[in-house]
Amino acid sequence: MVQPITDYAEFLRDAKADVLRMAQLTEQEEQLRQEEYQLERTVETEKRSVSDSINMTIKKRTEALTLSYDQEIGKGQERLKKARAKREKAKNQGVKERIAEETSELREENRELNLRLKTLFQQNHVPKICRGNWYYALFLPRWFSEYLKLLCTILVCFLAVPYGSYMLIGQKKTLVLVVIYFITVLIFGGLYVFISNKTKIPHLAALRDGQIIRDQIHGNKKKIKVITHTIQKDRNEAAYDLQIFDDEISQLEQELAVTAGKKKDALNTFETVTKNIIADEITNNSKEKIESMEAELDVLRRRLKEVETARNEKSLYVTDHYEPYLGKEFLTPSKLDMLLEKIVSGSSSNLSEAINSCREAK
């Protein structure tokens, strides 16, 4: 309930004092809020720094632990790779020796057959050129490979050479192509007939005897290929004495498995135990500092709450006791001084006159 005013001067002095106090509390509240904000940021920064330090340390320790084990595993894998390479080399050598042993009779027979062929041609004065595989392919073909050589020779001599010459000349005329083919047939055909007349016709009997020997050599070579292929595909490695290599490889594989198991256990222990210990150590290093700042922050918050309550109470008091008489307009120290001067000087007998006088004086 609003009480009547008996002393206007004292009323205005009290109003000024309460307004100044309210302004002081407002300023103090704002200052405390700024301090609270800064201290909260400092605490958060410190906590974030601790968290970052924990994460970075754990990351580095995990990487270092993983790297150490990976290096050991890498060395073991390299040793295992070398052991397997040595085993493969020993096996290949064993295969070669086995092939050489199981085909030795056939190879020796072929050596003797080649010697007989050479002697046959020497005794019958057959030119050396006739002993070649290509000669038999051109003049006395019998096997698929020889017919293939004959076909390739025909294609080169009577297709590739004339057409290639035609393209190089650059004269795109049918007559030019016909002339080139005529010359080509004349040259290669004549050469073929000439060689045949000089070698095949006079030495046909010796060449046919030689063909019989070549058939035997060819048959032996096919047998050698079959034996070689059979040995290479044979899964039974008992004949190559590889047990010493297998034992070494088995031991290295076991060592690798043990190292991989240790790595897994070490990482699991680090993840479940060591990581927590590291986190606790780093946290404890900053625990006292953070707790001190948090305690300071609690005190600051309590002080802010007290000031906020006092400011709110003073604001409500000013609103209830002075605003009904003076209005918001005159609830400032300077305007209250103006009103007080009007009352003290006697130029105004009450607040309403003083307020009107101040308004008129503007």
Side-chain angles (χ1 to χ4, degrees), residues 99-130:
I99 291 172
E101 181 181 355
E102 295 188 17
T103 61
S104 60
E105 292 182 3
L106 292 171
R107 294 181 187 278
E108 179 61 25
E109 185 178 345
N110 275 354
R111 189 186 69 80
E112 293 176 357
L113 289 171
N114 277 311
L115 184 60
R116 282 175 53 191
L117 181 63
K118 182 178 179 181
T119 303
L120 174 66
F121 278 25
Q122 287 176 345
Q123 289 174 348
N124 291 276
H125 305 289
V126 180
K128 288 184 179 180
I129 189 176
C130 299

Side-chain angles (χ1 to χ4, degrees), residues 21-61:
R21 178 57 180 165
M22 184 176 67
Q24 181 184 13
L25 289 171
T26 301
E27 182 180 356
Q28 188 177 2
E29 180 184 4
E30 181 61 28
Q31 182 179 355
L32 289 172
R33 287 193 185 280
Q34 288 293 330
E35 292 177 6
E36 179 192 34
Y37 174 73
Q38 292 296 334
L39 189 54
E40 283 178 344
R41 290 191 61 185
T42 302
V43 172
E44 289 301 319
T45 300
E46 185 66 23
K47 288 182 178 180
R48 189 162 50 251
S49 176
V50 171
S51 178
D52 291 343
S53 179
I54 291 172
N55 293 334
M56 182 61 68
T57 302
I58 289 174
K59 181 181 178 182
K60 287 183 177 179
R61 300 280 177 83

Side-chain angles (χ1 to χ4, degrees), residues 206-273:
L207 289 172
R208 292 192 183 282
D209 291 339
Q211 183 65 66
I212 295 172
I213 297 174
R214 283 169 51 82
D215 287 344
Q216 292 177 318
I217 295 173
H218 182 72
N220 287 341
K221 286 182 177 180
K222 289 179 67 175
K223 292 178 182 179
I224 290 173
K225 286 184 178 179
V226 171
I227 293 172
T228 300
H229 182 74
T230 302
I231 292 174
Q232 289 174 341
K233 294 298 181 180
D234 188 5
R235 299 296 181 182
N236 185 5
E237 300 176 345
Y240 307 131
D241 193 20
L242 302 174
Q243 189 60 44
I244 185 174
F245 299 103
D246 291 336
D247 292 342
E248 182 183 3
I249 290 172
S250 178
Q251 181 181 354
L252 290 173
E253 288 176 340
Q254 186 176 0
E255 290 176 358
L256 272 176
V258 170
T259 304
K262 287 181 178 179
K263 174 186 175 182
K264 182 179 179 181
D265 292 341
L267 290 175
N268 183 60
T269 301
F270 183 87
E271 187 68 24
T272 56
V273 179

Side-chain angles (χ1 to χ4, degrees), residues 17 33 45 64 98 141 152 159 189 239 258 263 273 275 289 305 312 330:
R33 287 193 185 280
T45 300
R98 182 181 171 189
C152 290
L159 181 62
V258 170
K263 174 186 175 182
V273 179
K275 184 172 74 173
K289 181 179 180 181
K305 185 63 178 177
N312 188 51
F330 285 91

Side-chain angles (χ1 to χ4, degrees), residues 269-330:
T269 301
F270 183 87
E271 187 68 24
T272 56
V273 179
T274 311
K275 184 172 74 173
N276 296 329
I277 295 174
I278 293 173
D280 291 341
E281 288 177 352
I282 296 175
T283 301
N284 289 334
N285 291 337
S286 301
K287 183 178 180 181
E288 184 176 347
K289 181 179 180 181
I290 293 175
E291 287 180 348
S292 174
M293 288 191 293
E294 287 180 336
E296 183 180 351
L297 184 60
D298 289 339
V299 172
L300 185 60
R301 284 170 176 167
R302 286 196 297 270
R303 176 60 181 155
L304 175 60
K305 185 63 178 177
E306 292 173 359
V307 171
E308 184 182 13
T309 302
R311 193 268 310 155
N312 188 51
E313 290 176 352
K314 181 58 70 176
S315 177
L316 292 175
Y317 181 83
V318 169
T319 299
D320 291 341
H321 288 78
Y322 303 112
E323 192 171 333
Y325 297 102
L326 303 174
K328 278 184 178 288
E329 179 185 356
F330 285 91

